[in-house]
């Protein structure tokens, strides 16, 4: 069974701090997606990475796909209260009927 | 384009009852996926429909069923509700494109079983 492990599970930081969350697997994925989910809402796609070693930036968020396409990281610079939410990663395997494999998420709280 | 809509947003039922949840995908999208989300298990895939046909199914008991209509709207039904069915049920409108697929989620239906 393919699994995606996210760490840390919970993170509480002060506004202005930097942080990194991780998404790891022993399986290779053809692509990996990061979502943010706010309370009472569904997940919203932030980014999709498809190439090993790929780095994508979205304002203060930097996403990296591991060289072997088994892991990914999300780095947030100068976190703001608006970054608060549940960050989920999901991996796609072209040989798995296009079903996404989901991590349990990292719950981030940024305190003003 | 309008986003994904799910109705109702909140639902309270008692054990043994059944429930039907509805999802309208983004206009033009022909595929819909359903997920159950709980704090301990995360997002768990229920099933996916494409052009009225169930294309994928997760590991849930037969009490969970779904269907898709010709206008791409989808419903899921849970019969004989159990306490453990309390969860956020999410519907995603799927856009397939080459190497990557994109899922656009609705706000979910919060089901509480008493």
């Amino acid at each position: 069974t393919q699994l995606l492990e996210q760490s840390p599970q919970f993170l509480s930081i002060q506004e202005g701090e930097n942080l990194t969350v991780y998404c790891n697997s022993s399986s290779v994925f053809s692509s990996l997606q990061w979502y943010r989910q706010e309370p009472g809402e569904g997940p919203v796609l932030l980014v999709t990475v498809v190439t090993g070693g790929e780095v994508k930036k979205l304002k203060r968020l930097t996403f990296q796909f591991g060289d072997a396409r088994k892991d990914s990281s999300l780095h947030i610079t100068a976190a703001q209260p608006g970054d608060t939410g549940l960050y989920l990663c999901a991996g796609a395997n072209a040989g798995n009927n296009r079903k996404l494999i989901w991590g349990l998420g990292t719950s981030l709280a940024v305190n003003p | 384009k309008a986003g994904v809509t799910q109705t109702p947003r909140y639902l309270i039922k008692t054990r043994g009852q059944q429930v039907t949840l509805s999802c309208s995908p983004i206009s033009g999208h022909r595929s819909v996926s359903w997920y159950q989300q709980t704090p301990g298990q995360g997002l768990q895939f229920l099933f996916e429909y494409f052009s009225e046909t169930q294309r994928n199914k997760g590991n849930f008991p037969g009490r969970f069923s779904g269907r898709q209509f010709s206008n791409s709207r989808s419903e899921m039904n849970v019969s004989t509700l159990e306490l453990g069915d309390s969860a956020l049920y999410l519907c995603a409108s799927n856009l397939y494109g080459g190497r990557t697929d994109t899922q656009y989620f609705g706000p979910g239906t919060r089901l509480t079983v008493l």
Side-chain angles (χ1 to χ4, degrees), chain A residues 3-40:
Chain A
L3 292 173
L4 270 173
E5 295 184 2
Q6 290 191 244
S7 61
Q9 189 176 357
F10 300 98
L11 193 54
S12 180
I13 61 172
Q14 294 300 120
E15 183 176 0
E17 293 184 9
N18 301 333
L19 67 119
T20 302
V21 298
Y22 301 92
C23 176
N24 296 303
S25 175
S26 58
S27 301
V28 176
F29 293 101
S30 58
S31 66
L32 195 136
Q33 298 177 330
W34 284 92
Y35 292 78
R36 180 171 65 215
Q37 183 177 20
E38 297 184 16

Side-chain angles (χ1 to χ4, degrees), chain B residues 30-101:
Chain B
R30 294 162 61 191
S31 172
V32 169
S33 296
W34 286 91
Y35 292 88
Q36 180 194 68
Q37 185 179 30
T38 59
Q41 300 294 322
L43 269 83
Q44 293 193 286
F45 174 75
L46 282 156
F47 26 66
E48 180 204 353
Y49 286 88
F50 182 86
S51 294
E52 302 179 66
T53 300
Q54 187 180 88
R55 191 155 69 171
N56 278 311
K57 190 176 187 303
N59 298 321
F60 278 81
R63 300 185 296 107
F64 293 81
S65 63
R67 58 178 176 169
Q68 187 180 31
F69 302 95
S70 58
N71 62 357
S72 293
R73 189 177 70 85
S74 178
E75 289 182 349
M76 66 162 284
N77 184 278
V78 188
S79 62
T80 318
L81 284 166
E82 300 177 359
L83 295 179
D85 296 334
S86 294
L88 181 67
Y89 289 88
L90 291 163
C91 167
S93 181
N94 302 321
L95 180 63
Y96 296 125
R99 289 178 67 182
T100 65
D101 304 332

Side-chain angles (χ1 to χ4, degrees), chain A residues 59-71:
Chain A
K59 296 183 181 177
R60 295 174 293 99
L61 278 60
T62 302
F63 305 85
Q64 184 162 9
F65 202 12
D67 291 341
R69 290 185 287 127
K70 293 183 179 181
D71 54 80

